[in-house]
């Protein structure tokens, strides 16, 4: 499953890094604490969070995450969007909250 | 081989850039991806601790055939009780820093988990030196 394949179910709007929409998804991780993500997220996961500042992209890049999903319609900061484009890691917004977004992602991953 | 990077305290817009440079070099040198993953976590947390808690610092990475050693040295407030600071959940991060999602008190535990040898030395009101070593075998 690729990032573009979850757009509809999670009601996502790509905001930046669209050149990475064909990244493969291995799973998901939900957290707003950066060192929690640094310590526990795995390569290829979709990171669901409310944090929209540039440090999110530093972590997404270092951990080689598949995408960042910003919940409740958060928009990436300008420098976050620029970093997402540089790294080809998509940042997408959803009107859903973290519970609903992660539930839907888990359903999709289970179905395969 | 040795690499040097400067780290500016308080500058969150550049936090992680030194770690990212090191990651690029290790990839180019075909270091085992599992080793790179661990090293990157430890380096990033040490780098961000300088940004979040100190005034300025330097990262020196030394690459040998059998190991990678990274020393992150800063000028700053220092750590009075290192054992306490190592505990998961302990943090003195400011409200501004916490709002960004830092300050979970997980950085030092992450470092500990992701290197083979960790040595922290600190002098209050002077600075902190974090030395991390990771071996390529085992
Ligand atoms: N370089 C440093 N200079 C001064 N104090 C430090 C330094 N590194 C860590 N500390 C102290 O140790 C505490 C714990 O550090 P740790 O990295 O585990 O958590 P944190 O930085 O507060 O939060 P997190 O890393 O989870 O974002 C810090 O809150 C701070 O008091
Ligand atoms: Mg820290």
């Amino acid at each position: 499953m690729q990032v573009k394949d979850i757009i509809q179910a999670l009601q996502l709007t790509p905001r930046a890094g669209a050149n990475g929409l064909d990244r493969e998804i291995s799973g998901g991780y939900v957290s707003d604490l950066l060192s929690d993500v640094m310590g526990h997220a795995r390569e290829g996961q979709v990171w669901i969070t409310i944090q929209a500042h540039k440090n999110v992209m530093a972590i997404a890049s270092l951990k080689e995450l598949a995408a960042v999903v910003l919940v409740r319609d958060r928009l990436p900061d300008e420098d976050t969007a620029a970093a997402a484009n540089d790294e080809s890691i998509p940042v997408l917004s959803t009107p859903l909250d973290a519970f609903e977004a992660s539930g839907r992602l888990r359903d999709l991953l289970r179905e395969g | 081989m040795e690499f040097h990077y400067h780290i500016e305290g308080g500058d969150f817009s550049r936090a992680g850039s030194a770690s990212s440079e090191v990651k690029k070099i290790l990839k180019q040198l075909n270091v085992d991806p599992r080793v790179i993953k661990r090293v990157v976590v430890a380096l990033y947390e040490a780098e961000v601790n300088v940004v979040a808690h100190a005034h300025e610092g330097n990262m020196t990475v030394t690459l040998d055939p059998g190991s990678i050693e990274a020393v992150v040295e800063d000028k700053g407030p220092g750590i009075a009780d290192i054992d306490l600071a190592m505990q998961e959940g302990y943090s003195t991060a400011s409200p501004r820093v916490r709002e960004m999602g830092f300050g979970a008190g997980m950085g030092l535990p992450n470092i500990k988990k992701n290197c083979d040898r960790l040595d922290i030395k600190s002098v209050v009101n002077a600075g902190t030196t974090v030395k991390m070593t990771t071996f390529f075998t085992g």
Side-chain angles (χ1 to χ4, degrees), chain A residues 43-62:
Chain A
E43 183 177 345
Q45 289 183 331
V46 173
W47 177 11
I48 298 172
T49 183
I50 202 153
Q51 300 288 354
H53 55 83
K54 192 186 170 198
N55 296 271
V56 167
M57 292 320 298
I59 290 175
S61 161
L62 286 169

Side-chain angles (χ1 to χ4, degrees), chain A residues 35, chain B residues 45 49 53 74 78-79 85 90-92 102-109 128:
Chain A
S35 56
Chain B
E45 294 292 1
N49 276 351
H53 307 296
D74 70 55
I79 303 172
Y90 177 83
S91 176
T92 60
F102 295 106
M106 293 177 72
L108 289 174
T128 301

